[in-house]
Amino acid sequence: MSAGQALLEVRDLAVSYGGIQAVKGISLEVRQGEIVALVGANGAGKTSTLRAISGLLPYSGEIRHEGTLLRGLPPHRIAARGIAHVPEGRGIFANLTVDENLKLSAWPCRSRAARDRGTERVFALFPRLKERLGQPSGTLSGGEQQMLALGRALMSGAGLLLLDEPSMGLSPLLVKEILAMLTDINRQGVTILLVEQNANMALRMASRGYVFGSGQLELSGTGQELLGDPRVRKAYLGA
Amino acid sequence: MTYLIQQSLNALQLGSVYALIALGYTMVYGVLTMINFAHGDFFMVGAFLCFLSVARLHLPFVPTLLISMAGVALLAVAVEVSAYRPLRKAPRVSAIITALGVGIFLEHFTLALSPYPLHIPPAFENVTWNAGGLAVSSLQVVTVLLSVGLMAALQFVVARTPLGIAMRAVSWDRDTASLLGVPVNRVISATFAIGGALGGAAGMLYALSYPVIDPYMGVLVGWKAFISAVVGGIGDIRGAMLGGYILAAVEIAVAVALPSTYRDFVAFSLLIVLLIFRPYGIFGRPRPQKL
Ligand SMILES: Nc1ncnc2c1ncn2[C@@H]1O[C@H](COP(=O)(O)OP(=O)(O)O)[C@@H](O)[C@H]1O
Ligand SMILES: [Mg+2]
């Protein structure tokens, strides 16, 4: 990857559901090592943007990862490139054990050694998962499920995490804990594209952010700039 | 008493066939929430492949089994890829019509190739052991043991292997499975292949036990196996196995106690009553709402 090239580049992205445009021409980029926050009201098109990036939705416009156009690749191929998407609601397979959830995401791993490295790293980050390996994952608490979703995403050694509202449904204390873990994960070299309702926390930890308003970008800038912007403060921070 | 044991053995033999076929319905339903109405005809193709192998190629039991299983597995994958996959996002009713169409196609394609019922010679020397009034044939023993072996192998694959984990994940949430790198289409094809192979084995075992076959033989047996799967709880693997044996036991019990024409009518009435009390079947549960 040449210097200055974005890890992920989205240009003029448009997504529609049966004729109704949910995303109307959005451009954004994520550079290696960043945490980029996408904030905005409910229904603004954040989830649709992530699902288009992962190959779950058809779209117009261009999405590039490490310079390669992703159009036409099925989701499992995009995952194999090192893009791990933790969907809204976490996407835990409640019918599988914790261990099976983790093993599942080891599919793209070619070698056993890579798998073992992934497992070790996940247990170092989330020791609680190790205690719960044999347990049906449907019986985990919300916080544990979010850890499992994150751990699962990291198993394959992904370099880019797409996180859709990881704080959803968690107590304020747990939200803090999870977001702190994201900062740790980012320090280990994982780039993060973070969609959050909790704009305040997300922008504080992000290097840069984009503000979505019904399918379009309203603002973008560094986390600090956006936190200080009166429009953002009014609309999303309740100030 | 002897009579009871004798009839139980017969029920085990028939139930093994129903269970093997029911597994194909339940597995496909599990990953796609679609009823593959052509599956009974896959079973029929297995019986015809058995005829081809035994009567035309003069092959012994094991190669015949492999031909029936592999042939129907290939057929199932071909049907999935060419007929069902393009309709995966289409309205549910289109997929149902397509499955019915595939079934009718298979029946009439087979009819065109072979317009008269065929008789299958024994694939091996069928010895019957008599002990204390009890008659057990080697074919019965082979049918039951082979079926149980295949079901145990299936249980192992589903419970322990990466493919099995992926199959269960796809059945829970296809999109999320793909986000984790699971090649969903390949997993679905593999599910059809496994269901097809079990149906092929059932076709062969059935054809050896009731050796006159015709292109419509899969219709009624297929419905019965489908109902077995529903009784056990469609989508549940243990349920399909249990349902197959329950249906066979009920059928044989009715045949013993009442005039033989009552068999299906009474058996199906009992199943309807069971479903009234357990609408999701024995092992089936309404799926918990996802977030
Ligand atoms: N599966 C769908 N079918 C139809 N419309 C949808 C679907 N998913 C989302 N939408 C619509 O698209 C718009 C954007 O939704 P979404 O991407 O989920 O926004 P966000 O994640 O920012 O809340 C909303 O108006 C929503 O109603
Ligand atoms: Mg959303």
Side-chain angles (χ1 to χ4, degrees):
Chain A
M1 205 172 96
S2 65
Q5 186 189 8
L7 178 62
L8 181 76
E9 192 182 352
V10 175
R11 192 173 301 155
D12 300 325
L13 178 73
V15 177
S16 27
Y17 296 99
I20 298 167
Q21 276 217 323
V23 178
K24 307 162 184 162
I26 273 179
S27 299
L28 56 84
E29 61 174 41
V30 181
R31 292 190 283 263
Q32 183 78 42
E34 284 187 314
I35 296 181
V36 173
L38 301 186
V39 300
N42 228 330
K46 306 179 299 293
T47 296
S48 305
T49 301
L50 292 195
R51 289 172 68 83
I53 295 170
S54 306
L56 287 176
L57 289 177
Y59 56 87
S60 65
E62 285 185 354
I63 301 176
R64 287 172 197 274
H65 177 240
E66 295 176 334
T68 307
L69 274 177
L70 295 186
R71 177 179 302 289
L73 287 184
H76 71 273
R77 285 286 176 72
I78 292 176
R81 294 183 58 91
I83 301 180
H85 180 165
V86 179
E88 206 168 37
R90 308 183 185 108
I92 294 299
F93 298 102
N95 60 337
L96 305 187
T97 63
V98 170
D99 190 36
E100 288 169 339
N101 267 279
L102 291 171
K103 276 191 181 134
L104 187 69
S105 53
W107 265 64
C109 289
R110 306 243 177 292
S111 71
R112 186 174 199 106
R115 250 200 333 266
D116 291 345
R117 264 203 310 282
T119 318
E120 243 172 69
R121 174 156 167 245
V122 169
F123 289 158
L125 273 164
F126 307 109
R128 220 169 329 155
L129 291 182
K130 197 170 180 177
E131 298 159 20
R132 301 253 190 276
L133 276 183
Q135 205 167 309
S137 52
T139 64
L140 297 182
S141 71
E144 288 166 342
Q145 289 196 7
Q146 189 58 55
M147 290 178 199
L148 176 56
L150 284 173
R152 199 174 61 172
L154 291 169
M155 277 293 287
S156 55
L160 174 61
L161 285 188
L162 311 179
L163 305 178
D164 201 344
E165 307 212 16
S167 72
M168 190 158 90
L170 300 183
S171 69
L173 203 69
L174 272 170
V175 172
K176 257 197 172 142
E177 197 181 322
I178 291 282
L179 294 186
M181 281 173 173
L182 294 183
T183 310
D184 276 354
I185 291 168
N186 176 248
R187 286 212 191 92
Q188 292 178 10
V190 179
T191 306
I192 295 177
L193 179 57
L194 173 66
V195 166
E196 259 300 337
Q197 286 278 313
N198 194 329
N200 189 16
M201 286 217 198
L203 289 174
R204 253 196 265 174
M205 61 189 278
S207 5
R208 289 184 308 109
Y210 295 88
V211 180
F212 276 53
S214 62
Q216 280 156 331
L217 280 187
E218 287 188 339
L219 288 168
S220 63
T222 66
Q224 286 310 314
E225 283 165 6
L226 291 176
L227 276 172
D229 190 292
R231 284 166 295 180
V232 175
R233 299 183 66 82
K234 184 145 184 291
Y236 303 108
L237 305 178
Chain B
M1 185 62 202
T2 322
Y3 186 67
L4 200 67
I5 298 176
Q6 183 71 58
Q7 295 304 335
S8 306
L9 276 174
N10 297 345
L12 270 182
Q13 182 187 8
L14 184 60
S16 297
V17 172
Y18 288 162
L20 287 177
I21 307 170
L23 283 167
Y25 283 103
T26 224
M27 289 171 67
V28 165
Y29 184 85
V31 296
L32 287 182
T33 51
M34 168 203 163
I35 307 293
N36 173 20
F37 282 112
H39 191 63
D41 301 295
F42 290 178
F43 154 83
M44 174 275 293
V45 171
F48 275 80
L49 287 173
C50 171
F51 173 84
L52 181 74
S53 171
V54 174
R56 293 278 182 269
L57 305 175
H58 306 292
L59 293 173
F61 183 82
V62 172
T64 300
L65 177 69
L66 294 178
I67 287 176
S68 288
M69 290 181 73
V72 179
L74 281 177
L75 171 68
V77 172
V79 167
E80 187 267 318
V81 171
S82 63
Y84 299 161
R85 190 176 296 179
L87 292 175
R88 219 175 269 161
K89 294 203 170 108
R92 182 79 26 117
V93 69
S94 314
I96 293 176
I97 300 291
T98 304
L100 290 170
V102 167
I104 292 170
F105 167 83
L106 289 174
E107 288 156 25
H108 291 265
F109 184 76
T110 311
L111 187 69
L113 291 182
S114 147
Y116 306 106
L118 298 172
H119 186 269
I120 299 188
F124 53 89
E125 200 189 337
N126 192 5
V127 201
T128 303
W129 298 287
N130 287 290
L134 207 64
V136 182
S137 71
S138 47
L139 183 58
Q140 266 178 328
V141 173
V142 166
T143 301
V144 174
L145 289 185
L146 181 65
S147 305
V148 170
L150 287 173
M151 290 185 242
L154 175 71
Q155 279 284 27
F156 175 80
V157 168
V158 171
R160 298 258 181 265
T161 64
L163 175 64
I165 296 175
M167 281 166 55
R168 282 180 284 143
V170 168
S171 83
W172 187 263
D173 182 345
R174 203 187 299 163
D175 279 354
T176 300
S178 71
L179 291 180
L180 294 171
V182 174
V184 170
N185 280 336
R186 260 189 282 157
V187 171
I188 290 172
S189 292
T191 306
F192 272 84
I194 293 173
L198 297 176
M204 172 197 178
L205 292 171
Y206 190 86
L208 292 177
S209 307
Y210 311 93
V212 177
I213 62 172
D214 71 79
Y216 301 110
M217 66 185 280
V219 178
L220 188 58
V221 175
W223 279 115
K224 288 181 175 177
F226 168 54
I227 286 162
S228 304
V230 174
V231 162
I234 190 129
D236 189 284
I237 285 181
R238 292 162 310 159
M241 301 178 194
L242 188 64
Y245 288 105
I246 288 178
L247 180 59
V250 170
E251 275 191 5
I252 285 185
V254 173
V256 166
L258 297 167
S260 67
T261 45
Y262 283 39
R263 187 189 64 187
D264 290 345
F265 146 66
V266 176
F268 281 76
S269 306
L270 285 177
L271 298 176
I272 289 169
V273 171
L274 188 145
L275 285 178
I276 290 172
F277 289 102
R278 289 199 64 96
Y280 296 96
I282 295 167
F283 287 115
R285 262 159 289 132
R287 221 175 100 175
Q289 201 65 41
K290 281 191 301 166
L291 242 177

